[in-house]
Amino acid sequence: MAEDPQRNFRSVYYEKVGFRGVEEKKSLEILLKDDRLDIEKLCTFSQRFPLPSMYRTLVWKVLLGILPPHHESHAFVMKYRKEQYKDVYHALQVIRFIKESTPQVEVFLRMYQLESGKLPRNPSYPLEPEDEVFLAIAKSMEEMVEDIIDCYWLFSSFVNLFNNKYKDSLPQLPKNLEQCLSLEDSRLLTHLKSCSAMSQLPYSLWFRKCFAGCLPEPSLQRVWDKVISGSCKILVFVAVEILLTFKMKLMVLNSAEKIAQFLENIPQDNTDAIVSKAIELWHKHCGTPAHSV
């Protein structure tokens, strides 16, 4: 089938004037009009392109299994999700784990703990390291999603994704990072090793918290698009690109502690460029995704 020259002209024009996503947005709208949403095609789209903000919550809910593929079931299922949220919230109030003044992210944590059978005996018990991870993810999700019900289900499903699908992959990510950095900049890797910094990099922030609290919302959403649609390896390439971007700063730091401290609080002014380069690097090493990587 011959390519449409008019369409190609439009695509080039859109890209030149800064509307590269116009064609992609139209393609997504076509996918979302299907009576039964094609999960594989939505995954492929999300892996290849950033999701338009107006459709992000819907696509995330479908890909995470919060909503079924069939459109006609969405209202019924969300009604059930809302009722379930209220029931769990009420149960936590009855046993005095939460009250009206409890911060929303802590409410989400307690709800998740109750539903997963991990609620501590007493609300005054100190938080576990895993709880701190959950709170960071919940806080970032709260900044992205306005509706409280949607936010809770997206948070809990996102956490479940890491605890189940990515459980075996996460411990391998630091090793993957070192392998990738050796290919991209062996001199920087040698410096980090000479400072004994490789074992001190903020892996929990990067890989367990999925950059929650590290990247600002617009940049983080683009990373989470890839994670939710099937790739936790994107986290490796974001981490590598952070190292490459701040190479000059890192090369003059000569202690693992100072390097880790800097990386835990990177400047926020060019994170969009970092994520864009990370996605390019991801495609370079893994190929353009056909479904999930």
Side-chain angles (χ1 to χ4, degrees), residues 37-274:
L37 299 176
D38 190 317
I39 303 297
E40 187 168 347
K41 287 181 180 178
L42 286 175
C43 281
T44 301
F45 182 93
S46 302
Q47 297 262 297
R48 291 171 64 94
F49 310 111
L51 288 169
S53 57
M54 64 187 297
Y55 297 123
R56 179 170 276 117
T57 297
L58 172 60
V59 174
W60 281 10
K61 287 198 291 185
V62 172
L63 294 185
L64 288 169
I66 299 164
L67 287 175
H70 295 90
H71 268 295
E72 66 269 18
S73 303
H74 286 187
F76 171 78
V77 170
M78 282 315 299
K79 182 182 177 183
Y80 171 76
R81 298 284 189 194
K82 188 173 185 179
E83 290 172 356
Q84 190 176 352
Y85 178 94
K86 289 180 177 179
D87 288 344
V88 176
Y89 185 91
H90 179 67
L92 287 168
Q93 283 184 314
V94 170
I95 59 177
R96 298 183 179 179
F97 259 77
I98 62 170
K99 49 190 177 182
E100 292 297 329
S101 61
T102 303
Q104 193 61 56
V105 292
E106 189 178 328
V107 171
F108 288 164
L109 172 63
R110 296 307 187 191
M111 290 180 71
Y112 181 82
Q113 288 175 330
L114 181 59
E115 289 209 294
S116 59
K118 296 179 180 178
L119 194 69
R121 290 177 178 271
N122 192 305
S124 62
Y125 284 3
L127 293 174
E128 300 288 336
E130 185 181 33
D131 299 334
E132 299 289 354
V133 169
F134 290 176
L135 287 173
I137 293 172
K139 186 175 186 299
S140 289
M141 193 67 80
E142 186 185 30
E143 292 171 358
M144 297 177 190
V145 184
E146 290 184 15
D147 184 88
I148 292 175
I149 311 296
D150 282 347
C151 189
Y152 170 68
W153 287 110
L154 285 167
F155 153 72
S156 61
S157 301
F158 189 82
V159 169
N160 284 335
L161 182 71
F162 272 75
N163 288 345
N164 299 313
K165 181 175 180 178
Y166 296 146
K167 183 179 179 180
D168 295 332
S169 300
L170 286 175
Q172 306 301 320
L173 298 187
K175 182 180 178 181
N176 295 154
L177 183 151
E178 184 172 336
Q179 291 170 341
C180 182
L181 189 59
S182 70
L183 295 172
E184 294 299 320
D185 197 319
S186 58
R187 183 166 172 258
L188 176 57
L189 176 61
T190 300
H191 172 70
L192 294 174
K193 283 185 172 182
S194 70
C195 298
S196 302
M198 286 304 293
S199 61
Q200 303 299 316
L201 297 182
Y203 293 123
S204 178
L205 174 65
W206 289 349
F207 302 150
R208 289 296 302 161
K209 295 181 182 178
C210 199
F211 291 97
C214 175
L215 298 176
E217 178 189 333
S219 303
L220 189 61
Q221 286 176 326
R222 295 171 60 204
V223 176
W224 285 13
D225 284 346
K226 312 308 179 193
V227 173
I228 289 171
S229 58
S231 173
C232 69
K233 276 195 175 179
I234 184 64
L235 303 176
V236 169
F237 297 103
V238 176
V240 168
E241 196 54 52
I242 286 174
L243 295 174
L244 295 175
T245 299
F246 297 110
K247 174 182 176 178
M248 299 305 293
K249 173 70 175 179
L250 296 173
M251 291 296 284
V252 297
L253 297 175
N254 54 14
S255 79
E257 185 181 355
K258 289 178 181 178
I259 288 170
Q261 190 174 31
F262 172 77
L263 291 172
E264 286 171 1
N265 299 279
I266 62 169
Q268 304 284 289
D269 53 352
N270 66 338
T271 54
D272 274 345
I274 289 172

